[in-house]
Amino acid sequence: MKPSAIYQFPRGFLWGTATSSHQVEGNNSNNNWSAWEQTPGKILNGDRSGLACDWWGGRWREDFDRAKESGQNAHRLSIEWSRIQPSPDRWDEEALDHYRQMIRGLVERGMTPLVTLHHFTDPLWVTEMGGWENGKTPELFEVYARRVVEALKEYVTLWITINEPNVLATMGYVIGDFPPGTPDMSLAFQVMANLARGHARAYHAIHEVKPEARVGIAVNYRGFQPKRSWWPFDRLVAWYSHRLFNEFFPQAFITGELKYIFRKVSLPQAKGTQDFLGLNYYTDELVAFDITKASEGFAARSFPPDADLSPTGFIANLPDAFFTSLKWARKLQMPIIITENGVEDQSDEMRPRYLANHIHQLWQAVNFSYGVKGYFHWSLVDNFEWDRGWSQRFGLWGLDVDTQTRQRRKSVDFYEAICKANGLSTEMVSEYAPEAFDSIFPT
Ligand code: IFM
């Protein structure tokens, strides 16, 4: 007979899902991503965000109901800068009010809002000024942030200034699959520095408006393992990939220094500008030195040959690596919130075991007093997945984009059980992810 046990989480633990404005709202037409979508060849299959999940049309209500009814006590969403400030000298009070209603909607449902001010998109007028390449953008961002926080401070204490600045810089300026699609390492560094400046300015502004606010960034952590551990060049690639991708921003906000590999720039205003770390973790990868990949930092990337891979091959289910990321985060000595974690899996065959494996590792970190305060699954409902369009489905609920109907996946029931019990039990794992049982509850 199987034992009966539960990995219990502390009272008050936040259980939610995460979304972002451009990915769920629909009808965003005034930002750099809507322009990018219209440029041939930029989005897989020529997909467009279109109506997305129609949140701007009001379907946030039914989706928040779904989240609430399925036991979630928190939700992370983002504000679309281009709606709030459609042009340099115009503020849209109606749009602000729309967000006020949405966030009030969460609070009325007894859910804690976590609000992101910048999730990859810039207003077109900011793009026309050079986006984050321009040294003036951090100041513009501060003005926008102040305005939003003034309007929403009654409801929101938890803020993320900038989502995944490391991904924004890498995808836009190293790989080139995100706008502006300009692989150029020195521009990447310039953008990273301006994003750090923007965060620091917004951090101070938020605290001026709401002193008790808790403010952080969400960093996308990816473990880099040398493919051939005996080969010094693979180790070197793994080391600098980690330093630049994972550590650059969190360290800058602790030390007040921007540390490129061979260069240090002082940014004293950024020191101490992180009240918590938002950790977005999906997967780990192997890196091998490859002379032909200069534009990608000389790194050939792959997954371990025997890895449990997601249907589109985007994510390897490596829960131990999630624990490693938590160990790394703990060393930063601040509270941690898992602001994203999930897998693209339209058929929902892998998601339950991915969820079980990752919640198990999360419990371990919580149990070791790593200071983890919450978990936000990416995502509530399928949404527009950037350069990969609608080909990747991260939602607990599926979405038919044309009819806007939602389809309840098995993972909703599983996550609901976790949220409602505030824990992960043997019964849940037996029912939803039996193939993961023995590794989670070894006998
Ligand atoms: O959908 C994205 C999100 O916008 C940022 N983090 C990773 C997710 C999945 O790719």
Side-chain angles (χ1 to χ4, degrees), residues 79-127:
I79 309 290
E80 179 58 39
W81 185 358
S82 65
R83 289 199 193 270
I84 303 297
Q85 194 179 8
S87 53
D89 47 7
R90 196 163 88 75
W91 296 92
D92 188 332
E93 290 302 328
E94 265 179 42
L96 260 179
D97 197 53
H98 194 113
Y99 285 115
R100 212 180 282 120
Q101 282 182 41
M102 287 174 72
I103 290 165
R104 197 189 310 127
L106 286 174
V107 174
E108 283 167 359
R109 286 167 178 78
M111 297 169 74
T112 301
L114 192 167
V115 175
T116 307
L117 290 165
H118 187 281
H119 194 120
F120 293 163
T121 54
D122 293 321
L124 275 178
W125 62 269
V126 171
T127 303

Tab-separated table of all heavy atoms in Angstrom, residues 79-127:
chain	number	residue	atom	x	y	z
A	79	ILE	N	0.917	45.874	-16.611
A	79	ILE	CA	0.288	47.089	-17.137
A	79	ILE	C	0.962	47.418	-18.466
A	79	ILE	O	2.186	47.322	-18.590
A	79	ILE	CB	0.503	48.274	-16.164
A	79	ILE	CG1	0.097	47.904	-14.727
A	79	ILE	CG2	-0.203	49.545	-16.646
A	79	ILE	CD1	-1.356	47.736	-14.482
A	80	GLU	N	0.158	47.823	-19.423
A	80	GLU	CA	0.662	48.121	-20.769
A	80	GLU	C	0.953	49.625	-20.854
A	80	GLU	O	0.044	50.449	-20.886
A	80	GLU	CB	-0.406	47.673	-21.784
A	80	GLU	CG	-0.097	47.921	-23.223
A	80	GLU	CD	1.198	47.250	-23.700
A	80	GLU	OE1	1.491	46.123	-23.295
A	80	GLU	OE2	1.902	47.904	-24.485
A	81	TRP	N	2.242	49.939	-20.884
A	81	TRP	CA	2.690	51.344	-20.902
A	81	TRP	C	2.035	52.103	-22.054
A	81	TRP	O	1.577	53.243	-21.898
A	81	TRP	CB	4.221	51.344	-21.003
A	81	TRP	CG	4.905	52.675	-20.913
A	81	TRP	CD1	4.337	53.914	-20.797
A	81	TRP	CD2	6.326	52.883	-20.918
A	81	TRP	NE1	5.311	54.879	-20.726
A	81	TRP	CE2	6.544	54.267	-20.805
A	81	TRP	CE3	7.430	52.047	-21.019
A	81	TRP	CZ2	7.828	54.831	-20.783
A	81	TRP	CZ3	8.715	52.606	-20.993
A	81	TRP	CH2	8.902	53.983	-20.884
A	82	SER	N	1.939	51.452	-23.228
A	82	SER	CA	1.414	52.163	-24.402
A	82	SER	C	-0.065	52.510	-24.257
A	82	SER	O	-0.575	53.384	-24.977
A	82	SER	CB	1.613	51.325	-25.664
A	82	SER	OG	0.857	50.136	-25.597
A	83	ARG	N	-0.772	51.853	-23.365
A	83	ARG	CA	-2.182	52.226	-23.136
A	83	ARG	C	-2.271	53.419	-22.179
A	83	ARG	O	-3.133	54.275	-22.337
A	83	ARG	CB	-2.949	51.053	-22.515
A	83	ARG	CG	-3.197	49.888	-23.457
A	83	ARG	CD	-4.332	49.036	-22.908
A	83	ARG	NE	-4.437	47.757	-23.571
A	83	ARG	CZ	-5.173	47.530	-24.663
A	83	ARG	NH1	-5.838	48.504	-25.237
A	83	ARG	NH2	-5.233	46.330	-25.192
A	84	ILE	N	-1.388	53.424	-21.189
A	84	ILE	CA	-1.445	54.465	-20.159
A	84	ILE	C	-0.927	55.793	-20.710
A	84	ILE	O	-1.440	56.861	-20.407
A	84	ILE	CB	-0.574	54.045	-18.939
A	84	ILE	CG1	-1.036	52.694	-18.404
A	84	ILE	CG2	-0.567	55.109	-17.850
A	84	ILE	CD1	-2.444	52.667	-17.875
A	85	GLN	N	0.149	55.690	-21.518
A	85	GLN	CA	0.759	56.893	-22.092
A	85	GLN	C	0.899	56.683	-23.602
A	85	GLN	O	1.971	56.381	-24.104
A	85	GLN	CB	2.144	57.118	-21.437
A	85	GLN	CG	2.724	58.477	-21.695
A	85	GLN	CD	4.081	58.666	-21.011
A	85	GLN	OE1	4.666	57.736	-20.459
A	85	GLN	NE2	4.588	59.899	-21.068
A	86	PRO	N	-0.231	56.867	-24.330
A	86	PRO	CA	-0.195	56.543	-25.764
A	86	PRO	C	0.727	57.443	-26.571
A	86	PRO	O	1.209	57.042	-27.635
A	86	PRO	CB	-1.654	56.718	-26.215
A	86	PRO	CG	-2.397	57.322	-25.071
A	86	PRO	CD	-1.552	57.241	-23.836
A	87	SER	N	0.989	58.650	-26.088
A	87	SER	CA	1.978	59.511	-26.740
A	87	SER	C	2.681	60.291	-25.622
A	87	SER	O	2.184	60.340	-24.489
A	87	SER	CB	1.310	60.453	-27.755
A	87	SER	OG	0.267	61.156	-27.135
A	88	PRO	N	3.831	60.920	-25.930
A	88	PRO	CA	4.639	61.494	-24.844
A	88	PRO	C	3.853	62.436	-23.945
A	88	PRO	O	4.105	62.510	-22.745
A	88	PRO	CB	5.751	62.245	-25.581
A	88	PRO	CG	5.766	61.713	-26.953
A	88	PRO	CD	4.462	61.063	-27.246
A	89	ASP	N	2.904	63.168	-24.516
A	89	ASP	CA	2.230	64.177	-23.689
A	89	ASP	C	0.767	63.836	-23.424
A	89	ASP	O	-0.053	64.714	-23.171
A	89	ASP	CB	2.345	65.548	-24.379
A	89	ASP	CG	1.979	65.431	-25.845
A	89	ASP	OD1	1.517	64.331	-26.246
A	89	ASP	OD2	2.163	66.415	-26.578
A	90	ARG	N	0.422	62.562	-23.526
A	90	ARG	CA	-0.982	62.202	-23.281
A	90	ARG	C	-1.071	61.024	-22.323
A	90	ARG	O	-0.391	60.009	-22.478
A	90	ARG	CB	-1.676	61.842	-24.603
A	90	ARG	CG	-3.195	61.842	-24.468
A	90	ARG	CD	-3.855	61.901	-25.840
A	90	ARG	NE	-4.059	60.593	-26.413
A	90	ARG	CZ	-4.999	59.742	-26.022
A	90	ARG	NH1	-5.826	60.079	-25.050
A	90	ARG	NH2	-5.116	58.558	-26.596
A	91	TRP	N	-1.899	61.184	-21.310
A	91	TRP	CA	-2.150	60.115	-20.336
A	91	TRP	C	-3.596	59.694	-20.497
A	91	TRP	O	-4.491	60.541	-20.549
A	91	TRP	CB	-1.889	60.601	-18.906
A	91	TRP	CG	-0.459	60.961	-18.711
A	91	TRP	CD1	0.096	62.189	-18.868
A	91	TRP	CD2	0.610	60.068	-18.383
A	91	TRP	NE1	1.457	62.128	-18.653
A	91	TRP	CE2	1.793	60.829	-18.353
A	91	TRP	CE3	0.688	58.696	-18.119
A	91	TRP	CZ2	3.033	60.266	-18.061
A	91	TRP	CZ3	1.925	58.146	-17.822
A	91	TRP	CH2	3.084	58.928	-17.797
A	92	ASP	N	-3.826	58.405	-20.557
A	92	ASP	CA	-5.182	57.917	-20.789
A	92	ASP	C	-5.808	57.469	-19.458
A	92	ASP	O	-5.538	56.359	-18.968
A	92	ASP	CB	-5.128	56.746	-21.793
A	92	ASP	CG	-6.516	56.310	-22.226
A	92	ASP	OD1	-7.464	56.483	-21.433
A	92	ASP	OD2	-6.648	55.795	-23.352
A	93	GLU	N	-6.628	58.353	-18.910
A	93	GLU	CA	-7.230	58.064	-17.599
A	93	GLU	C	-8.182	56.881	-17.668
A	93	GLU	O	-8.328	56.136	-16.704
A	93	GLU	CB	-7.966	59.299	-17.058
A	93	GLU	CG	-7.048	60.437	-16.629
A	93	GLU	CD	-6.036	60.039	-15.550
A	93	GLU	OE1	-6.353	59.177	-14.704
A	93	GLU	OE2	-4.903	60.569	-15.600
A	94	GLU	N	-8.833	56.722	-18.821
A	94	GLU	CA	-9.757	55.583	-18.948
A	94	GLU	C	-9.018	54.254	-18.870
A	94	GLU	O	-9.496	53.287	-18.265
A	94	GLU	CB	-10.482	55.640	-20.289
A	94	GLU	CG	-11.829	56.306	-20.175
A	94	GLU	CD	-12.506	56.356	-21.533
A	94	GLU	OE1	-12.457	55.365	-22.273
A	94	GLU	OE2	-13.061	57.426	-21.840
A	95	ALA	N	-7.853	54.226	-19.498
A	95	ALA	CA	-7.055	52.986	-19.453
A	95	ALA	C	-6.610	52.707	-18.018
A	95	ALA	O	-6.672	51.574	-17.544
A	95	ALA	CB	-5.855	53.104	-20.381
A	96	LEU	N	-6.188	53.769	-17.337
A	96	LEU	CA	-5.791	53.576	-15.928
A	96	LEU	C	-6.954	53.042	-15.119
A	96	LEU	O	-6.797	52.162	-14.271
A	96	LEU	CB	-5.363	54.929	-15.337
A	96	LEU	CG	-3.871	55.195	-15.251
A	96	LEU	CD1	-3.606	56.569	-14.665
A	96	LEU	CD2	-3.157	54.119	-14.431
A	97	ASP	N	-8.141	53.582	-15.409
A	97	ASP	CA	-9.324	53.143	-14.681
A	97	ASP	C	-9.646	51.677	-14.989
A	97	ASP	O	-10.081	50.924	-14.115
A	97	ASP	CB	-10.505	54.056	-15.012
A	97	ASP	CG	-11.578	53.873	-13.973
A	97	ASP	OD1	-11.235	53.995	-12.774
A	97	ASP	OD2	-12.724	53.544	-14.337
A	98	HIS	N	-9.404	51.305	-16.239
A	98	HIS	CA	-9.620	49.911	-16.631
A	98	HIS	C	-8.755	48.986	-15.757
A	98	HIS	O	-9.229	47.975	-15.224
A	98	HIS	CB	-9.239	49.750	-18.104
A	98	HIS	CG	-9.701	48.480	-18.728
A	98	HIS	ND1	-10.642	48.438	-19.716
A	98	HIS	CD2	-9.347	47.201	-18.507
A	98	HIS	CE1	-10.849	47.192	-20.083
A	98	HIS	NE2	-10.065	46.414	-19.355
A	99	TYR	N	-7.469	49.344	-15.604
A	99	TYR	CA	-6.585	48.519	-14.770
A	99	TYR	C	-7.025	48.566	-13.300
A	99	TYR	O	-6.929	47.568	-12.591
A	99	TYR	CB	-5.132	48.982	-14.899
A	99	TYR	CG	-4.515	48.555	-16.221
A	99	TYR	CD1	-4.118	49.484	-17.177
A	99	TYR	CD2	-4.342	47.200	-16.509
A	99	TYR	CE1	-3.561	49.082	-18.386
A	99	TYR	CE2	-3.787	46.786	-17.720
A	99	TYR	CZ	-3.403	47.736	-18.650
A	99	TYR	OH	-2.860	47.319	-19.834
A	100	ARG	N	-7.514	49.752	-12.875
A	100	ARG	CA	-7.987	49.861	-11.487
A	100	ARG	C	-9.126	48.869	-11.256
A	100	ARG	O	-9.161	48.171	-10.248
A	100	ARG	CB	-8.455	51.297	-11.211
A	100	ARG	CG	-8.210	51.709	-9.782
A	100	ARG	CD	-8.667	53.129	-9.503
A	100	ARG	NE	-7.754	54.149	-9.983
A	100	ARG	CZ	-8.043	55.099	-10.871
A	100	ARG	NH1	-9.249	55.179	-11.399
A	100	ARG	NH2	-7.145	55.981	-11.238
A	101	GLN	N	-10.025	48.800	-12.239
A	101	GLN	CA	-11.151	47.857	-12.115
A	101	GLN	C	-10.665	46.407	-12.069
A	101	GLN	O	-11.162	45.596	-11.287
A	101	GLN	CB	-12.078	47.980	-13.313
A	101	GLN	CG	-13.004	49.166	-13.256
A	101	GLN	CD	-13.909	49.118	-14.495
A	101	GLN	OE1	-14.378	48.065	-14.896
A	101	GLN	NE2	-14.118	50.274	-15.100
A	102	MET	N	-9.705	46.099	-12.940
A	102	MET	CA	-9.204	44.716	-12.965
A	102	MET	C	-8.570	44.352	-11.629
A	102	MET	O	-8.825	43.281	-11.070
A	102	MET	CB	-8.144	44.551	-14.070
A	102	MET	CG	-8.716	44.539	-15.458
A	102	MET	SD	-7.422	44.521	-16.716
A	102	MET	CE	-6.803	42.866	-16.560
A	103	ILE	N	-7.767	45.275	-11.121
A	103	ILE	CA	-7.040	44.950	-9.891
A	103	ILE	C	-7.998	44.940	-8.704
A	103	ILE	O	-7.900	44.079	-7.817
A	103	ILE	CB	-5.841	45.897	-9.732
A	103	ILE	CG1	-4.831	45.498	-10.814
A	103	ILE	CG2	-5.233	45.802	-8.343
A	103	ILE	CD1	-3.761	46.469	-11.086
A	104	ARG	N	-8.979	45.844	-8.738
A	104	ARG	CA	-10.014	45.790	-7.702
A	104	ARG	C	-10.749	44.443	-7.799
A	104	ARG	O	-11.101	43.828	-6.800
A	104	ARG	CB	-10.995	46.957	-7.840
A	104	ARG	CG	-11.795	47.129	-6.560
A	104	ARG	CD	-12.947	48.112	-6.669
A	104	ARG	NE	-12.578	49.393	-7.234
A	104	ARG	CZ	-13.187	49.969	-8.264
A	104	ARG	NH1	-14.208	49.369	-8.867
A	104	ARG	NH2	-12.796	51.140	-8.715
A	105	GLY	N	-10.933	44.001	-9.031
A	105	GLY	CA	-11.586	42.704	-9.267
A	105	GLY	C	-10.840	41.565	-8.578
A	105	GLY	O	-11.445	40.635	-8.047
A	106	LEU	N	-9.524	41.638	-8.581
A	106	LEU	CA	-8.740	40.603	-7.876
A	106	LEU	C	-8.958	40.719	-6.371
A	106	LEU	O	-9.235	39.743	-5.683
A	106	LEU	CB	-7.245	40.762	-8.182
A	106	LEU	CG	-6.786	40.330	-9.566
A	106	LEU	CD1	-5.320	40.687	-9.788
A	106	LEU	CD2	-6.985	38.820	-9.757
A	107	VAL	N	-8.838	41.964	-5.885
A	107	VAL	CA	-8.955	42.179	-4.431
A	107	VAL	C	-10.345	41.745	-3.955
A	107	VAL	O	-10.467	41.081	-2.921
A	107	VAL	CB	-8.658	43.664	-4.099
A	107	VAL	CG1	-8.911	43.957	-2.624
A	107	VAL	CG2	-7.224	44.003	-4.470
A	108	GLU	N	-11.365	42.082	-4.741
A	108	GLU	CA	-12.731	41.687	-4.350
A	108	GLU	C	-12.903	40.163	-4.326
A	108	GLU	O	-13.749	39.648	-3.617
A	108	GLU	CB	-13.752	42.291	-5.325
A	108	GLU	CG	-13.975	43.757	-5.038
A	108	GLU	CD	-14.741	44.465	-6.167
A	108	GLU	OE1	-15.088	43.828	-7.189
A	108	GLU	OE2	-14.957	45.677	-6.017
A	109	ARG	N	-12.092	39.486	-5.113
A	109	ARG	CA	-12.152	38.016	-5.104
A	109	ARG	C	-11.245	37.426	-4.023
A	109	ARG	O	-11.008	36.213	-3.989
A	109	ARG	CB	-11.757	37.463	-6.482
A	109	ARG	CG	-12.827	37.647	-7.552
A	109	ARG	CD	-12.251	37.368	-8.936
A	109	ARG	NE	-13.248	37.478	-9.993
A	109	ARG	CZ	-13.704	38.622	-10.501
A	109	ARG	NH1	-13.264	39.780	-10.014
A	109	ARG	NH2	-14.612	38.617	-11.460
A	110	GLY	N	-10.658	38.304	-3.210
A	110	GLY	CA	-9.784	37.820	-2.132
A	110	GLY	C	-8.416	37.380	-2.644
A	110	GLY	O	-7.746	36.575	-2.010
A	111	MET	N	-7.997	37.924	-3.789
A	111	MET	CA	-6.708	37.525	-4.368
A	111	MET	C	-5.700	38.670	-4.272
A	111	MET	O	-6.046	39.833	-4.500
A	111	MET	CB	-6.907	37.119	-5.839
A	111	MET	CG	-7.819	35.900	-5.977
A	111	MET	SD	-8.304	35.614	-7.670
A	111	MET	CE	-6.799	34.952	-8.350
A	112	THR	N	-4.450	38.327	-3.969
A	112	THR	CA	-3.390	39.341	-3.856
A	112	THR	C	-2.854	39.669	-5.243
A	112	THR	O	-2.405	38.759	-5.956
A	112	THR	CB	-2.229	38.797	-2.984
A	112	THR	OG1	-2.759	38.462	-1.710
A	112	THR	CG2	-1.111	39.814	-2.834
A	113	PRO	N	-2.881	40.952	-5.633
A	113	PRO	CA	-2.309	41.285	-6.947
A	113	PRO	C	-0.794	41.505	-6.864
A	113	PRO	O	-0.304	42.088	-5.902
A	113	PRO	CB	-3.008	42.606	-7.308
A	113	PRO	CG	-3.539	43.163	-6.023
A	113	PRO	CD	-3.507	42.096	-4.968
A	114	LEU	N	-0.098	41.029	-7.864
A	114	LEU	CA	1.329	41.339	-8.021
A	114	LEU	C	1.415	42.000	-9.397
A	114	LEU	O	1.015	41.385	-10.395
A	114	LEU	CB	2.151	40.053	-7.960
A	114	LEU	CG	3.671	40.163	-7.815
A	114	LEU	CD1	4.262	38.810	-7.455
A	114	LEU	CD2	4.357	40.687	-9.027
A	115	VAL	N	1.876	43.229	-9.439
A	115	VAL	CA	1.761	43.991	-10.690
A	115	VAL	C	3.135	44.288	-11.300
A	115	VAL	O	4.032	44.795	-10.621
A	115	VAL	CB	0.952	45.289	-10.457
A	115	VAL	CG1	0.944	46.152	-11.718
A	115	VAL	CG2	-0.475	44.954	-10.045
A	116	THR	N	3.255	43.967	-12.575
A	116	THR	CA	4.487	44.226	-13.332
A	116	THR	C	4.289	45.499	-14.162
A	116	THR	O	3.265	45.643	-14.836
A	116	THR	CB	4.780	43.043	-14.293
A	116	THR	OG1	4.764	41.835	-13.541
A	116	THR	CG2	6.109	43.199	-14.986
A	117	LEU	N	5.266	46.375	-14.126
A	117	LEU	CA	5.125	47.638	-14.864
A	117	LEU	C	5.616	47.537	-16.308
A	117	LEU	O	5.187	48.302	-17.167
A	117	LEU	CB	5.905	48.742	-14.142
A	117	LEU	CG	5.281	49.164	-12.818
A	117	LEU	CD1	6.276	49.964	-11.985
A	117	LEU	CD2	4.018	49.985	-13.069
A	118	HIS	N	6.530	46.626	-16.551
A	118	HIS	CA	7.080	46.502	-17.910
A	118	HIS	C	7.311	45.031	-18.212
A	118	HIS	O	8.114	44.381	-17.543
A	118	HIS	CB	8.407	47.274	-18.000
A	118	HIS	CG	8.946	47.341	-19.398
A	118	HIS	ND1	9.619	46.293	-19.998
A	118	HIS	CD2	8.912	48.335	-20.322
A	118	HIS	CE1	9.967	46.642	-21.227
A	118	HIS	NE2	9.561	47.870	-21.445
A	119	HIS	N	6.575	44.515	-19.183
A	119	HIS	CA	6.755	43.103	-19.562
A	119	HIS	C	7.001	43.065	-21.072
A	119	HIS	O	6.080	42.843	-21.863
A	119	HIS	CB	5.520	42.294	-19.152
A	119	HIS	CG	5.727	40.804	-19.187
A	119	HIS	ND1	5.585	39.987	-18.089
A	119	HIS	CD2	6.078	39.967	-20.196
A	119	HIS	CE1	5.822	38.732	-18.418
A	119	HIS	NE2	6.127	38.684	-19.697
A	120	PHE	N	8.208	43.363	-21.471
A	120	PHE	CA	8.732	43.278	-22.854
A	120	PHE	C	8.261	44.376	-23.812
A	120	PHE	O	8.941	44.620	-24.800
A	120	PHE	CB	8.393	41.928	-23.509
A	120	PHE	CG	9.088	40.724	-22.904
A	120	PHE	CD1	8.620	39.436	-23.160
A	120	PHE	CD2	10.215	40.860	-22.108
A	120	PHE	CE1	9.251	38.316	-22.617
A	120	PHE	CE2	10.850	39.747	-21.552
A	120	PHE	CZ	10.351	38.479	-21.817
A	121	THR	N	7.098	44.990	-23.606
A	121	THR	CA	6.599	45.911	-24.642
A	121	THR	C	6.899	47.374	-24.312
A	121	THR	O	6.814	47.793	-23.159
A	121	THR	CB	5.079	45.759	-24.804
A	121	THR	OG1	4.470	45.928	-23.522
A	121	THR	CG2	4.699	44.413	-25.364
A	122	ASP	N	7.206	48.140	-25.356
A	122	ASP	CA	7.396	49.595	-25.214
A	122	ASP	C	6.395	50.313	-26.104
A	122	ASP	O	6.107	49.839	-27.213
A	122	ASP	CB	8.795	50.008	-25.697
A	122	ASP	CG	9.896	49.475	-24.815
A	122	ASP	OD1	9.721	49.452	-23.592
A	122	ASP	OD2	10.938	49.068	-25.374
A	123	PRO	N	5.902	51.477	-25.665
A	123	PRO	CA	5.061	52.271	-26.579
A	123	PRO	C	5.845	52.591	-27.853
A	123	PRO	O	7.068	52.770	-27.804
A	123	PRO	CB	4.791	53.557	-25.789
A	123	PRO	CG	5.100	53.239	-24.363
A	123	PRO	CD	6.121	52.137	-24.374
A	124	LEU	N	5.130	52.712	-28.961
A	124	LEU	CA	5.819	53.001	-30.225
A	124	LEU	C	6.634	54.286	-30.157
A	124	LEU	O	7.721	54.365	-30.720
A	124	LEU	CB	4.782	53.102	-31.359
A	124	LEU	CG	4.380	51.780	-32.001
A	124	LEU	CD1	3.327	52.012	-33.070
A	124	LEU	CD2	5.604	51.068	-32.599
A	125	TRP	N	6.100	55.287	-29.459
A	125	TRP	CA	6.850	56.560	-29.398
A	125	TRP	C	8.172	56.386	-28.643
A	125	TRP	O	9.154	57.070	-28.953
A	125	TRP	CB	6.004	57.700	-28.817
A	125	TRP	CG	5.534	57.491	-27.392
A	125	TRP	CD1	4.364	56.920	-26.999
A	125	TRP	CD2	6.221	57.852	-26.189
A	125	TRP	NE1	4.265	56.897	-25.630
A	125	TRP	CE2	5.389	57.471	-25.106
A	125	TRP	CE3	7.439	58.480	-25.913
A	125	TRP	CZ2	5.749	57.684	-23.772
A	125	TRP	CZ3	7.797	58.687	-24.587
A	125	TRP	CH2	6.967	58.297	-23.533
A	126	VAL	N	8.208	55.449	-27.689
A	126	VAL	CA	9.476	55.175	-26.987
A	126	VAL	C	10.427	54.455	-27.957
A	126	VAL	O	11.615	54.782	-28.038
A	126	VAL	CB	9.228	54.330	-25.702
A	126	VAL	CG1	10.542	53.852	-25.096
A	126	VAL	CG2	8.423	55.127	-24.674
A	127	THR	N	9.871	53.498	-28.716
A	127	THR	CA	10.687	52.781	-29.707
A	127	THR	C	11.276	53.764	-30.720
A	127	THR	O	12.448	53.671	-31.093
A	127	THR	CB	9.812	51.738	-30.447
A	127	THR	OG1	9.243	50.880	-29.467
A	127	THR	CG2	10.618	50.919	-31.437
